[in-house]
Amino acid sequence: MRNFVSMKVDYIVVGTGIAGICFCELLSAQGKSFVVLDNGSQKSSAVAGGLYNPVVLKRFTSVWKSDEQLALALPFYQQLEEKLSVKLDYKIPVYRKFASLEEQNNWFLACDKPLLSKWLSPKVIKNSNAAIDAPFGFGEVLDTGRIDVKTLVDTYQQKLKEEDLFIEEGFDYDLLINNPDSIRYKEIQAKHIVFSEGFGIKENTFFNFLPLVPAKGELLIIHAPELKINYVLKAGVFLIPLDNDHYIVGATYEWKDLTNKTSDKARTELLSKLKKLIDCPFEVVNQVAGVRPTVKDRRPLVGQHPQFKNLYVLNGLGTRGVMIGPYVAKQLYDFIEYQTPLEDDIDIKRFQDLMA
């Protein structure tokens, strides 16, 4: 593991969640030198179901920029699989349980919308699983899957350590020195620094003015040998198959308790919803919690500090981080290296009135 010794790099990246990893991979591909700092305090990846799904299933609407996001994300994770020698991308359909005939009809209407027709199957899938209560059947979302976020983060951090690019330490903002054409942090000199700390941005004295809304989430892992489903089921909660008859059940949203500790309240909520969905024996084998970096307008926080031009932020990926991460990382990289304007929807300049 690299210590703070005198070094000169193109970039310092703070944080190795999905956003940080996406940006580091761009740097690596373009031959840019970098070093990463992370103290492991941010646990949002622990509660990431990792689904890439281009449809908002609560309202049957299209996810923002879904085509563009998936066009970048799927090759990105394939390349990472090859680089890290691990399996990350699990192709799996997403089924939306219909609660009524009215929901079926709304699904059929959505199937005819130009932005949704390629993603939604117009057929109602009848339920044949005795362990699931779904008399009105399911609608299927096409070309969906799950990224194993925990494996991604663990193996990527290990790769960085092996390449001596990882400093396992918290960032001390008071020690950052800004010069006109570079920055210095302890003994590291860099052209640019990118902050991708997730919820940790609240402690960042340079970017804590941004309106990030932390949302704690909790998941359960259950063992249900009789359930036997090979699709993701959305019905109040997500039910995501893992190996050996294990399933992820999630997720909760909490805005007051922003610790990484699991709670009885979340466990009770998830179990209550799960028992309405399945009727078979199961055992809870794990419960995890983490704080997601979300934004009120549901768009990421990307851009340049208004005063210190070598400081950048890449944050606020929210609940769809695996889809949007590669897309916004490329936006930021092109902005820094080629002065390509950021899209207005993600540029932090949209919060101009909050900037110091």
Side-chain angles (χ1 to χ4, degrees), residues 41-44 47 197-203 207-218 252-260 289-299 301 315-319:
S41 64
Q42 301 308 308
K43 304 293 184 183
S44 60
V47 292
E197 311 122 302
F199 171 49
I201 198 176
K202 288 299 185 181
E203 306 301 321
F207 287 105
N208 58 9
F209 64 87
L210 291 171
L212 186 139
V213 182
K216 180 178 180 177
E218 298 191 46
T252 59
Y253 288 82
E254 167 65 47
W255 287 270
K256 292 181 180 179
D257 171 15
L258 299 178
T259 69
N260 289 320
V291 181
R292 312 177 189 89
T294 63
V295 187
K296 282 187 177 180
D297 65 3
R298 302 190 182 190
R299 298 290 181 266
L301 300 170
N315 207 321
L317 271 56
T319 59

Side-chain angles (χ1 to χ4, degrees), residues 34-64:
F34 65 94
V35 64
V36 180
L37 283 83
D38 193 321
N39 65 357
S41 64
Q42 301 308 308
K43 304 293 184 183
S44 60
S45 59
V47 292
L51 293 179
Y52 53 89
N53 163 27
V55 181
V56 181
L57 289 174
K58 187 175 182 179
R59 300 184 295 273
F60 301 159
T61 56
S62 177
V63 170
W64 174 77

Side-chain angles (χ1 to χ4, degrees), residues 2-13 27 31-37 164-165 167 179 181-193:
R2 186 191 283 267
N3 294 314
F4 285 107
V5 295
S6 181
M7 70 178 86
K8 202 171 185 177
V9 293
D10 294 316
Y11 286 84
I12 297 172
V13 178
L27 297 179
K32 300 294 183 180
S33 58
F34 65 94
V35 64
V36 180
L37 283 83
D164 204 20
L165 300 176
I167 298 172
N179 298 313
D181 58 352
S182 67
I183 58 101
R184 178 171 287 277
Y185 181 71
K186 296 189 176 181
E187 297 302 315
I188 308 171
Q189 184 175 336
K191 296 177 183 176
H192 314 284
I193 184 167

Side-chain angles (χ1 to χ4, degrees), residues 7-305:
M7 70 178 86
K8 202 171 185 177
V9 293
D10 294 316
Y11 286 84
I12 297 172
V13 178
V14 183
T16 47
I18 293 170
I21 288 173
C22 290
F23 196 78
C24 286
E25 269 304 281
L26 277 173
L27 297 179
S28 181
Q30 298 299 321
K32 300 294 183 180
S33 58
F34 65 94
V35 64
V36 180
L37 283 83
D38 193 321
N39 65 357
S41 64
Q42 301 308 308
K43 304 293 184 183
S44 60
S45 59
V47 292
L51 293 179
Y52 53 89
N53 163 27
V55 181
V56 181
L57 289 174
K58 187 175 182 179
R59 300 184 295 273
F60 301 159
T61 56
S62 177
V63 170
W64 174 77
K65 299 279 186 179
S66 56
D67 284 4
E68 294 91 334
Q69 289 178 30
L70 286 173
L72 282 175
L74 298 184
F76 174 81
Y77 293 114
Q78 183 180 351
Q79 291 164 11
L80 270 178
E81 286 183 327
E82 296 169 1
K83 177 175 181 174
L84 301 174
S85 300
V86 292
K87 178 69 173 174
L88 298 173
D89 187 357
Y90 294 83
K91 307 296 184 184
I92 185 169
V94 173
Y95 284 11
R96 167 62 150 80
K97 175 188 168 183
F98 296 133
S100 63
L101 290 174
E102 181 183 4
E103 280 200 342
Q104 281 188 4
N105 291 333
N106 290 339
W107 180 271
F108 292 138
L109 290 173
C111 287
D112 290 332
K113 295 179 180 179
L115 291 177
L116 292 172
S117 59
K118 66 184 290 186
W119 304 117
L120 301 182
S121 170
K123 298 178 181 178
V124 173
I125 298 174
K126 293 183 178 180
N127 177 41
S128 59
N129 190 325
I132 297 174
D133 179 24
F136 297 100
F138 313 107
E140 181 181 358
V141 187
L142 307 173
D143 298 323
T144 54
R146 178 180 72 88
I147 301 300
D148 185 342
V149 177
K150 184 178 187 308
T151 295
L152 170 60
V153 173
D154 290 349
T155 54
Y156 200 86
Q157 287 184 352
Q158 184 58 38
K159 181 77 170 174
L160 291 173
K161 291 174 184 178
E162 291 171 0
E163 296 177 353
D164 204 20
L165 300 176
F166 191 86
I167 298 172
E168 196 165 358
E169 187 169 324
F171 193 88
D172 187 338
Y173 305 100
D174 292 334
L175 298 181
L176 184 63
I177 300 171
N178 293 280
N179 298 313
D181 58 352
S182 67
I183 58 101
R184 178 171 287 277
Y185 181 71
K186 296 189 176 181
E187 297 302 315
I188 308 171
Q189 184 175 336
K191 296 177 183 176
H192 314 284
I193 184 167
V194 174
F195 291 103
S196 297
E197 311 122 302
F199 171 49
I201 198 176
K202 288 299 185 181
E203 306 301 321
N204 186 322
T205 52
F206 299 102
F207 287 105
N208 58 9
F209 64 87
L210 291 171
L212 186 139
V213 182
K216 180 178 180 177
E218 298 191 46
L219 302 174
L220 300 179
I221 309 295
I222 65 168
H223 183 229
E226 297 178 22
L227 184 53
K228 303 298 183 188
I229 64 171
N230 59 354
Y231 50 85
V232 174
L233 180 56
K234 176 66 170 73
V237 291
F238 271 111
L239 197 58
I240 304 174
L242 303 174
D243 294 334
N244 303 316
D245 298 316
H246 287 77
Y247 300 85
I248 296 173
V249 183
T252 59
Y253 288 82
E254 167 65 47
W255 287 270
K256 292 181 180 179
D257 171 15
L258 299 178
T259 69
N260 289 320
K261 295 180 180 178
T262 58
S263 67
D264 291 337
K265 176 186 174 183
R267 183 186 181 99
T268 300
E269 177 186 336
L270 290 172
L271 287 177
S272 174
K273 291 179 178 179
L274 178 64
K275 289 174 182 176
K276 293 176 182 177
L277 181 59
I278 68 172
D279 182 19
C280 64
F282 66 87
E283 175 190 5
V284 177
V285 297
N286 197 14
Q287 182 176 351
V288 294
V291 181
R292 312 177 189 89
T294 63
V295 187
K296 282 187 177 180
D297 65 3
R298 302 190 182 190
R299 298 290 181 266
L301 300 170
V302 184
Q304 184 181 52
H305 191 275

